[in-house]
Every structure is written in structure tokens, then in C-alpha cells.
Amino acid sequence: MRYLVVTPAFNAAGTIAELVRRIRAILPGTPALVIDDGSTDGTADLARAAGAEVIVHPANRGKGEALKTAFAEALRRGVDAVIQLDADLQHDPAFLPDFVARFEQDRTDIIIGTRDFNVGGMPWDRHLTNWLTSYAITKMGGVPVRDSQSGYRLISRRALQTVTAPSSNYDYESEYLILAGRAGMTIGEVPITTIYAGQKSSIRKWTDTKRFLRLVRKYWRSRP
């Protein structure tokens, strides 16, 4: 089986090199691809120096657009699946083999790294937001999802070929799950550690909440 580990990154100079080094140590021989989404802090150079392949967006286009670039590259390479994780080290690369093992066991189309919200220091408002969005996405997609806000995911080639989500920002990941469920993709999970050390979220609370509410208006009435 061939895999590609992909990371969308925007101004991640403080963490990207360590992340890439850990990915390469844990899955040796598997390419690490960083999509530098218009960074101005040297993220791309640091990623390359650590051993990643890098595609650069000249200007910031949003996380969804960075993932679209990564997924298109994965299809071009003909890999069996991509594993995406964020650049801020809140996703521990130590769990990468768990995604691989689950996929090779049953070929689940999308595998989400599901956090244990009873452990760690995640603020209650993030926990509540994740519960509400996961409930809504489950209803709109027709497939159970417990941690819709986790950006730690494996996505099979079949899903990459089938699912096209138009959103461009953080709402892209939510819309992708809705459309994947409606397209008959199987969605599973692997448990991952909750890592939260008070880092400032890249999500813009009000802007991205409005985007999610637009998704609800778009898909709720036609839910399965």
C-alpha cells in the first residue's frame, strides 16, 4: 500500500520542522508533503530542510484550498490513501501507524482521529462546539461522526476520486464529511490523544461559525 502524509501549513515556522522529522521517523519511506499556504515566516524552507516535499501557494487561500492541492497531488501520484494532520503538533505523528493498520484491515474510506474529550485540557467551549458540529454533520451526512473537528484523518483513494467539496476554508473539512456520507463512503475512527496546551486556535470563531451555519442551511433540509 502506498501512502502520502499531507500537512496544510500557514506560518508554522515554530513547529513544521519537528513535525516533518517525526513523520519521517515514524513512517520511513512514506513521503511527507507540506502545502505552504502563503506563509511569510519561512515555513516552506524549514519544511524542505527537514525532509518534506513542499508545494507553495504564493498567497494564502485557506485550509480547504491547501487540502484540495494536497489531494490532487495524491491522486496524481496514485497513492492508496492520504493521511492529513495539522502543522501545529496538536496531532501526534505517533498515531500514524494506527491509521495505516485500520485502513489495511478493512479499507475504511475515511478514518478520523477521534480525541478523548474527558482527558486533557481542551476548553469546555471547544468540546461543546465539537459535539454540536459532529451531531449536525452526522445528521446531514447520514453516517455517525464523533469528532468532526479533528483534522487528523486518513482518506482513501476511492473517497478522493468520489468526493468534491466546494468550500475553501475550515468549513471544507465539515463539508467533505457531509458529502462523503451522502456518497456512501464508510467513515470510521481511531482513538488519538487529546493534545491541547493553550495554543491559539487558527479558527476565527465568528467567521468560521458563520461559514458552518451556511453549510447547515445548505444541507439540512436535504439530509438523509
Coordinates of all heavy atoms in Angstrom, one line a residue, residues 88-151:
D88 N 0.6 22.2 13.7 CA 0.9 22.8 15.0 C 1.3 21.8 16.1 O 1.4 22.2 17.3 CB -0.3 23.6 15.5 CG -1.6 22.8 15.6 OD1 -1.5 21.6 15.4 OD2 -2.7 23.4 15.9
L89 N 1.5 20.6 15.7 CA 1.9 19.5 16.7 C 0.8 19.1 17.7 O 1.1 18.4 18.6 CB 3.2 19.9 17.4 CG 4.5 19.8 16.6 CD1 5.7 20.2 17.4 CD2 4.7 18.4 16.0
Q90 N -0.4 19.6 17.4 CA -1.5 19.1 18.3 C -1.9 17.7 17.8 O -2.7 17.0 18.5 CB -2.7 20.0 18.3 CG -2.4 21.3 19.0 CD -3.7 22.1 19.4 OE1 -4.7 21.5 19.7 NE2 -3.6 23.4 19.2
H91 N -1.5 17.3 16.7 CA -1.7 15.9 16.2 C -0.4 15.1 16.3 O 0.6 15.5 15.7 CB -2.2 15.9 14.7 CG -3.5 16.5 14.5 ND1 -3.9 17.1 13.3 CD2 -4.5 16.7 15.4 CE1 -5.1 17.6 13.4 NE2 -5.5 17.4 14.7
D92 N -0.4 14.1 17.1 CA 0.9 13.4 17.4 C 1.1 12.4 16.3 O 0.3 11.4 16.1 CB 0.7 12.6 18.7 CG 2.0 12.0 19.2 OD1 2.9 11.8 18.4 OD2 2.1 11.6 20.4
P93 N 2.2 12.5 15.6 CA 2.6 11.6 14.5 C 2.7 10.1 14.9 O 2.7 9.2 14.1 CB 3.9 12.1 13.9 CG 3.9 13.5 14.3 CD 3.2 13.6 15.6
A94 N 2.8 9.9 16.2 CA 3.0 8.5 16.8 C 1.7 7.7 16.4 O 1.8 6.4 16.4 CB 3.1 8.6 18.3
F95 N 0.6 8.3 16.1 CA -0.6 7.6 15.8 C -0.7 7.2 14.3 O -1.6 6.5 13.9 CB -1.8 8.3 16.2 CG -2.0 8.4 17.7 CD1 -1.6 9.5 18.4 CD2 -2.5 7.4 18.4 CE1 -1.7 9.6 19.8 CE2 -2.6 7.4 19.8 CZ -2.2 8.6 20.5
L96 N 0.2 7.7 13.5 CA 0.2 7.4 12.0 C 0.1 5.9 11.8 O -0.8 5.5 10.9 CB 1.4 8.0 11.3 CG 1.4 9.5 11.2 CD1 2.8 10.0 10.7 CD2 0.3 9.9 10.2
P97 N 0.8 5.0 12.4 CA 0.7 3.6 12.1 C -0.7 3.0 12.5 O -1.1 2.0 11.9 CB 1.8 2.9 13.0 CG 2.8 4.0 13.2 CD 2.0 5.3 13.3
D98 N -1.4 3.7 13.4 CA -2.8 3.2 13.8 C -3.7 3.4 12.6 O -4.6 2.6 12.3 CB -3.3 3.9 15.0 CG -2.5 3.6 16.2 OD1 -1.7 2.6 16.2 OD2 -2.6 4.3 17.3
F99 N -3.6 4.6 11.9 CA -4.4 4.8 10.7 C -4.1 3.8 9.6 O -5.0 3.3 9.0 CB -4.1 6.2 10.2 CG -4.7 7.3 11.0 CD1 -4.0 7.9 12.1 CD2 -5.9 7.9 10.7 CE1 -4.5 8.9 12.9 CE2 -6.5 8.9 11.5 CZ -5.8 9.4 12.6
V100 N -2.8 3.5 9.4 CA -2.4 2.6 8.4 C -3.0 1.2 8.7 O -3.6 0.5 7.9 CB -0.9 2.5 8.3 CG1 -0.5 1.4 7.4 CG2 -0.4 3.8 7.7
A101 N -2.9 0.8 10.0 CA -3.3 -0.5 10.4 C -4.8 -0.7 10.2 O -5.3 -1.7 9.7 CB -3.0 -0.8 11.8
R102 N -5.6 0.4 10.6 CA -7.1 0.3 10.4 C -7.4 0.2 8.9 O -8.3 -0.5 8.5 CB -7.7 1.5 11.1 CG -9.2 1.7 10.8 CD -10.0 0.6 11.5 NE -11.4 0.6 11.0 CZ -12.4 1.3 11.5 NH1 -12.2 2.0 12.6 NH2 -13.6 1.2 11.0
F103 N -6.8 1.0 8.1 CA -7.1 1.1 6.7 C -6.8 -0.3 6.0 O -7.6 -0.8 5.2 CB -6.3 2.2 6.0 CG -6.6 2.3 4.5 CD1 -7.9 2.6 4.0 CD2 -5.6 2.0 3.6 CE1 -8.1 2.7 2.7 CE2 -5.9 2.1 2.2 CZ -7.1 2.4 1.8
E104 N -5.7 -0.9 6.4 CA -5.3 -2.1 5.8 C -6.1 -3.3 6.3 O -6.2 -4.3 5.7 CB -3.8 -2.4 6.0 CG -3.0 -1.3 5.2 CD -1.5 -1.6 5.2 OE1 -1.0 -2.6 5.8 OE2 -0.8 -0.8 4.5
Q105 N -6.7 -3.1 7.4 CA -7.6 -4.1 8.0 C -8.9 -4.2 7.2 O -9.4 -5.3 6.9 CB -7.9 -3.8 9.5 CG -8.9 -4.7 10.1 CD -9.2 -4.3 11.5 OE1 -8.4 -3.8 12.2 NE2 -10.5 -4.5 11.9
D106 N -9.6 -3.0 6.9 CA -10.9 -3.1 6.4 C -11.2 -2.0 5.3 O -12.3 -1.9 4.8 CB -12.0 -2.9 7.5 CG -11.8 -1.6 8.3 OD1 -11.1 -0.7 7.8 OD2 -12.3 -1.5 9.4
R107 N -10.1 -1.3 4.8 CA -10.3 -0.3 3.7 C -11.4 0.7 4.0 O -12.1 1.1 3.1 CB -10.6 -1.0 2.4 CG -9.5 -2.0 2.0 CD -8.2 -1.4 1.7 NE -7.2 -2.3 1.1 CZ -6.4 -3.1 1.7 NH1 -6.4 -3.2 3.0 NH2 -5.6 -4.0 1.1
T108 N -11.5 1.1 5.2 CA -12.5 2.2 5.5 C -12.1 3.5 4.7 O -10.9 3.8 4.7 CB -12.4 2.6 7.0 OG1 -12.8 1.4 7.8 CG2 -13.4 3.7 7.4
D109 N -13.1 4.1 4.1 CA -12.8 5.2 3.2 C -12.2 6.4 3.9 O -11.3 7.1 3.4 CB -14.0 5.6 2.4 CG -14.4 4.6 1.4 OD1 -13.6 4.2 0.6 OD2 -15.6 4.1 1.5
I110 N -12.8 6.8 5.1 CA -12.3 7.9 5.8 C -12.1 7.5 7.3 O -13.1 7.0 7.9 CB -13.2 9.1 5.7 CG1 -13.3 9.6 4.3 CG2 -12.8 10.3 6.6 CD1 -14.3 10.7 4.1
I111 N -11.0 7.7 7.8 CA -10.7 7.3 9.2 C -10.3 8.6 10.0 O -9.4 9.3 9.6 CB -9.6 6.3 9.3 CG1 -9.9 5.0 8.5 CG2 -9.3 5.9 10.8 CD1 -8.7 4.1 8.4
I112 N -11.1 8.9 11.0 CA -10.9 10.2 11.7 C -10.2 9.8 13.1 O -10.6 8.9 13.8 CB -12.3 10.8 12.0 CG1 -13.0 11.2 10.7 CG2 -12.1 12.1 12.9 CD1 -14.4 11.6 10.9
G113 N -9.2 10.6 13.4 CA -8.5 10.5 14.7 C -9.4 11.2 15.7 O -9.6 12.4 15.8
T114 N -10.1 10.3 16.5 CA -11.1 10.8 17.5 C -10.4 11.0 18.9 O -9.8 10.1 19.4 CB -12.3 9.8 17.6 OG1 -12.9 9.7 16.3 CG2 -13.3 10.3 18.6
R115 N -10.6 12.2 19.4 CA -10.0 12.5 20.7 C -10.9 12.1 21.8 O -12.1 12.1 21.7 CB -9.7 14.0 20.7 CG -8.7 14.5 19.7 CD -8.8 16.0 19.5 NE -10.0 16.4 18.7 CZ -10.3 17.6 18.3 NH1 -9.4 18.6 18.6 NH2 -11.4 17.9 17.6
D116 N -10.2 11.8 23.0 CA -10.9 11.6 24.2 C -11.1 12.9 24.9 O -10.2 13.4 25.5 CB -10.1 10.6 25.1 CG -10.8 10.3 26.4 OD1 -11.9 10.9 26.7 OD2 -10.3 9.4 27.1
F117 N -12.3 13.4 24.9 CA -12.5 14.8 25.4 C -12.6 14.8 27.0 O -12.7 15.8 27.6 CB -13.8 15.4 24.8 CG -13.6 15.7 23.3 CD1 -14.2 14.8 22.4 CD2 -12.9 16.7 22.9 CE1 -14.1 15.1 21.1 CE2 -12.7 17.0 21.6 CZ -13.3 16.2 20.6
N118 N -12.6 13.6 27.6 CA -12.6 13.6 29.0 C -11.2 13.7 29.6 O -11.0 13.7 30.8 CB -13.2 12.2 29.5 CG -14.7 12.2 29.1 OD1 -15.4 13.1 29.2 ND2 -15.1 11.0 28.6
V119 N -10.2 13.7 28.8 CA -8.8 13.8 29.2 C -8.2 15.0 28.6 O -8.5 15.4 27.5 CB -8.0 12.5 28.8 CG1 -6.6 12.6 29.2 CG2 -8.7 11.3 29.3
G120 N -7.2 15.7 29.3 CA -6.5 16.8 28.7 C -7.2 18.1 29.1 O -8.2 18.2 29.8
G121 N -6.7 19.2 28.5 CA -7.1 20.5 28.9 C -7.9 21.3 27.8 O -7.8 22.5 27.8
M122 N -8.6 20.6 27.0 CA -9.4 21.3 26.0 C -10.5 22.1 26.7 O -11.3 21.6 27.5 CB -10.0 20.3 24.9 CG -10.9 21.1 23.9 SD -11.4 20.0 22.6 CE -9.9 19.8 21.6
P123 N -10.6 23.4 26.3 CA -11.7 24.2 27.0 C -13.1 23.7 26.7 O -13.3 23.1 25.6 CB -11.5 25.6 26.3 CG -10.1 25.6 25.8 CD -9.8 24.1 25.4
W124 N -14.0 23.9 27.6 CA -15.3 23.4 27.5 C -16.1 23.9 26.3 O -16.9 23.2 25.7 CB -16.1 23.7 28.8 CG -16.4 25.2 28.9 CD1 -15.7 26.1 29.5 CD2 -17.6 25.9 28.3 NE1 -16.3 27.4 29.4 CE2 -17.4 27.2 28.7 CE3 -18.7 25.5 27.6 CZ2 -18.4 28.2 28.3 CZ3 -19.6 26.4 27.2 CH2 -19.4 27.8 27.5
D125 N -15.7 25.1 25.9 CA -16.5 25.7 24.7 C -16.1 25.0 23.4 O -16.9 24.8 22.5 CB -16.3 27.2 24.6 CG -14.8 27.6 24.5 OD1 -13.9 26.8 24.9 OD2 -14.5 28.7 23.9
R126 N -14.8 24.5 23.3 CA -14.4 23.8 22.2 C -15.0 22.4 22.2 O -15.4 21.9 21.1 CB -12.9 23.6 22.1 CG -12.2 24.9 21.8 CD -10.7 24.7 21.3 NE -10.0 25.9 21.2 CZ -8.8 26.0 20.7 NH1 -8.1 24.8 20.4 NH2 -8.1 27.1 20.6
H127 N -15.1 21.8 23.4 CA -15.8 20.5 23.5 C -17.2 20.6 23.0 O -17.7 19.8 22.3 CB -15.6 20.0 24.9 CG -16.1 18.6 25.1 ND1 -16.0 18.0 26.4 CD2 -16.6 17.7 24.3 CE1 -16.4 16.7 26.2 NE2 -16.8 16.6 25.0
L128 N -17.9 21.6 23.5 CA -19.3 21.8 23.2 C -19.5 22.1 21.7 O -20.4 21.5 21.0 CB -19.9 23.0 24.0 CG -21.4 23.3 23.7 CD1 -22.3 22.2 24.0 CD2 -21.8 24.6 24.4
T129 N -18.6 22.9 21.1 CA -18.7 23.2 19.7 C -18.5 21.9 18.9 O -19.2 21.7 17.9 CB -17.7 24.3 19.3 OG1 -18.0 25.5 20.0 CG2 -17.7 24.5 17.8
N130 N -17.5 21.1 19.3 CA -17.3 19.9 18.5 C -18.5 18.9 18.6 O -18.8 18.3 17.6 CB -16.0 19.2 19.0 CG -15.6 18.1 18.2 OD1 -15.2 18.2 17.0 ND2 -15.7 16.9 18.7
W131 N -19.1 18.8 19.8 CA -20.2 18.0 19.9 C -21.4 18.4 19.0 O -22.0 17.6 18.4 CB -20.7 18.0 21.4 CG -21.8 17.0 21.6 CD1 -21.8 15.6 21.9 CD2 -23.2 17.3 21.5 NE1 -23.0 15.1 22.0 CE2 -23.9 16.1 21.8 CE3 -24.0 18.5 21.3 CZ2 -25.3 16.0 21.8 CZ3 -25.4 18.4 21.3 CH2 -26.0 17.2 21.5
L132 N -21.6 19.7 19.0 CA -22.7 20.3 18.2 C -22.5 20.1 16.7 O -23.4 19.6 16.0 CB -23.0 21.7 18.5 CG -23.5 22.1 19.9 CD1 -23.5 23.6 20.2 CD2 -25.0 21.5 20.0
T133 N -21.3 20.4 16.3 CA -21.0 20.2 14.8 C -21.0 18.7 14.4 O -21.4 18.4 13.3 CB -19.6 20.9 14.5 OG1 -18.6 20.3 15.3 CG2 -19.7 22.4 14.7
S134 N -20.5 17.9 15.3 CA -20.5 16.4 15.0 C -21.9 15.9 14.9 O -22.2 15.1 14.0 CB -19.7 15.7 16.1 OG -18.3 16.1 16.1
Y135 N -22.8 16.4 15.8 CA -24.2 16.0 15.7 C -24.8 16.4 14.4 O -25.5 15.6 13.7 CB -24.9 16.6 16.9 CG -26.4 16.4 16.8 CD1 -27.0 15.2 17.2 CD2 -27.3 17.4 16.3 CE1 -28.4 15.0 17.2 CE2 -28.6 17.2 16.2 CZ -29.2 16.0 16.6 OH -30.6 15.8 16.5
A136 N -24.6 17.7 14.0 CA -25.1 18.2 12.8 C -24.6 17.5 11.6 O -25.4 17.1 10.6 CB -24.9 19.7 12.7
I137 N -23.3 17.2 11.5 CA -22.7 16.5 10.4 C -23.2 15.1 10.3 O -23.4 14.6 9.2 CB -21.2 16.6 10.5 CG1 -20.7 18.0 10.2 CG2 -20.5 15.6 9.5 CD1 -19.3 18.3 10.5
T138 N -23.4 14.4 11.4 CA -23.9 13.1 11.4 C -25.3 13.1 10.8 O -25.7 12.2 10.0 CB -24.0 12.5 12.9 OG1 -22.7 12.3 13.4 CG2 -24.8 11.2 12.9
K139 N -26.1 14.1 11.2 CA -27.5 14.2 10.7 C -27.5 14.5 9.2 O -28.3 13.9 8.4 CB -28.3 15.2 11.4 CG -28.6 14.8 12.9 CD -29.5 13.6 12.9 CE -29.9 13.3 14.3 NZ -30.7 12.0 14.4
M140 N -26.6 15.4 8.7 CA -26.6 15.8 7.3 C -25.9 14.8 6.4 O -26.3 14.8 5.2 CB -25.9 17.2 7.2 CG -26.7 18.3 7.9 SD -26.0 20.0 7.6 CE -24.6 19.9 8.7
G141 N -25.0 14.1 6.9 CA -24.3 13.1 6.1 C -24.8 11.7 6.2 O -24.6 10.9 5.3
G142 N -25.5 11.4 7.2 CA -26.1 10.1 7.4 C -25.2 9.0 7.9 O -25.5 7.8 7.8
V143 N -24.0 9.4 8.3 CA -23.0 8.5 8.8 C -22.5 9.0 10.2 O -22.2 10.2 10.3 CB -21.8 8.3 7.9 CG1 -20.8 7.3 8.4 CG2 -22.3 7.8 6.5
P144 N -22.5 8.2 11.2 CA -22.0 8.6 12.5 C -20.6 9.2 12.5 O -19.7 8.6 12.0 CB -22.1 7.4 13.4 CG -23.0 6.5 12.7 CD -22.9 6.7 11.3
V145 N -20.5 10.4 13.1 CA -19.2 11.1 13.2 C -19.1 11.6 14.6 O -19.9 12.4 15.1 CB -19.0 12.2 12.2 CG1 -17.7 13.0 12.5 CG2 -19.0 11.7 10.8
R146 N -18.1 11.2 15.4 CA -18.0 11.7 16.8 C -17.0 12.8 17.0 O -17.2 13.6 18.0 CB -17.5 10.5 17.7 CG -18.5 9.4 17.9 CD -18.2 8.6 19.1 NE -16.8 8.1 19.2 CZ -16.0 8.1 20.2 NH1 -16.5 8.7 21.4 NH2 -14.8 7.6 20.2
D147 N -16.1 13.0 16.1 CA -15.1 14.2 16.2 C -14.9 14.8 14.9 O -13.9 14.7 14.2 CB -13.8 13.6 16.8 CG -12.9 14.7 17.2 OD1 -13.2 15.9 17.0 OD2 -11.8 14.4 17.7
S148 N -15.9 15.6 14.5 CA -15.9 16.2 13.1 C -14.9 17.3 13.0 O -14.5 17.6 11.9 CB -17.3 16.8 12.8 OG -17.6 17.9 13.7
Q149 N -14.4 17.8 14.1 CA -13.4 18.9 14.1 C -12.0 18.4 14.1 O -11.1 19.2 14.0 CB -13.7 19.9 15.2 CG -15.1 20.5 15.2 CD -15.4 21.2 13.9 OE1 -14.8 22.2 13.5 NE2 -16.4 20.7 13.1
S150 N -11.8 17.1 14.2 CA -10.4 16.6 14.1 C -9.9 16.7 12.7 O -10.5 16.2 11.7 CB -10.4 15.1 14.6 OG -9.1 14.6 14.4
G151 N -8.8 17.3 12.5 CA -8.1 17.4 11.2 C -7.1 16.3 11.0 O -6.4 16.3 10.0

